[in-house]
């Protein structure tokens, strides 16, 4: 099992593996949606690891780790700043369009709504500026499946 945090608007994944005694001194991080992972030690001695947290909005490149050293019970807190590793800010050529739910016949239309999000390409090593993801939205035609999934829908077996 792992503790994990997703930061940099989904681009950076940080994971801390747990052993059965919750001891940890190493973290893994991926800047390409989990395709490749880098490993680094965050402590010379294992901690009894109790938590990992990124920015609640997933902005920025910092994560905070906390736990205590088993030998003396002293609490440890550490902030890891990945801007020292990922130094280049993304530019417009680093992005591609992504359409959630794009697989299938509906081409991304769900509940009468289609969203396009500008995301960083998978193999690009850069960080997002502290702004929201670029999104465009459009309306699309609903069908029976949209209504079946909507809140409050009640199926009427007498009607087909």
């Amino acid at each position: 099992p792992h503790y994990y945090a997703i930061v940099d608007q989904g681009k950076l994944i940080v994971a801390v593996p747990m052993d059965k005694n919750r001891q940890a001194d190493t973290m893994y991080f991926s800047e390409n949606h989990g395709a490749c992972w880098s490993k680094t030690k965050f402590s010379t001695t294992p901690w009894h690891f109790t938590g990992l947290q990124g920015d609640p909005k997933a902005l920025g490149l910092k994560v905070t780790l906390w736990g205590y050293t088993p030998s003396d019970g002293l609490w440890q807190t550490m902030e890891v700043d990945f801007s020292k590793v990922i130094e280049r800010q993304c530019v417009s050529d680093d992005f591609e369009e992504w359409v959630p739910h794009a697989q299938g016949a509906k081409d991304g239309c769900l509940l009468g709504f289609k969203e396009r999000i500008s995301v960083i390409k998978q193999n690009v090593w850069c960080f997002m500026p502290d702004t929201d993801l670029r999104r465009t939205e459009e309306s699309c035609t609903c069908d029976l499946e949209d209504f079946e999934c909507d809140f409050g829908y009640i199926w009427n077996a007498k009607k087909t």
Side-chain angles (χ1 to χ4, degrees):
H2 289 74
Y3 280 88
Y4 69 92
I6 300 173
V7 294
D8 196 21
Q9 299 191 46
K11 178 69 172 148
L12 176 63
I13 306 168
V14 180
V16 177
M18 288 290 100
D19 70 10
K20 64 182 177 182
N21 297 318
R22 296 175 54 111
Q23 302 292 305
D25 63 359
T26 304
M27 76 171 76
Y28 294 85
F29 64 95
S30 175
E31 180 64 13
N32 59 5
H33 307 286
C36 284
W37 291 86
S38 298
K39 177 181 178 180
T40 187
K41 285 181 114 15
F42 63 83
S43 176
T44 55
T45 59
W47 291 5
H48 182 90
F49 191 80
T50 57
L52 169 68
Q53 177 71 47
D55 180 314
K57 289 186 169 184
L59 299 173
L61 292 167
K62 295 179 182 176
V63 295
T64 303
L65 300 92
W66 63 92
Y68 59 89
T69 49
S71 59
D72 55 17
L74 292 175
W75 279 93
Q76 306 289 324
T77 303
M78 178 183 297
E79 182 178 78
V80 180
D81 185 355
F82 284 92
S83 67
K84 310 297 185 215
V85 178
I86 307 163
E87 297 176 333
R88 186 175 74 80
Q89 183 170 327
C90 300
V91 296
S92 60
D93 287 346
D94 296 326
F95 293 88
E96 64 187 357
E97 183 179 87
W98 175 60
V99 179
H101 318 290
Q103 299 82 5
K106 296 179 71 173
D107 191 34
C109 184
L110 182 66
L111 298 174
F113 179 77
K114 183 175 184 176
E115 182 175 36
R116 299 174 192 277
I117 304 171
S118 184
V119 297
I120 300 173
K121 296 174 184 173
Q122 183 172 4
N123 294 316
V124 173
W125 190 260
C126 64
F127 69 89
M128 294 278 287
D130 287 342
T131 58
D132 288 331
L133 292 172
R134 292 173 239 159
R135 300 172 188 261
T136 58
E137 304 169 351
E138 63 185 73
S139 296
C140 51
T141 306
C142 291
D143 62 15
L144 182 59
E145 286 180 358
D146 290 319
F147 292 104
E148 289 174 349
C149 295
D150 200 6
F151 178 76
Y153 176 80
I154 300 173
W155 181 64
N156 185 343
K158 296 178 184 175
K159 293 184 179 180
T160 56

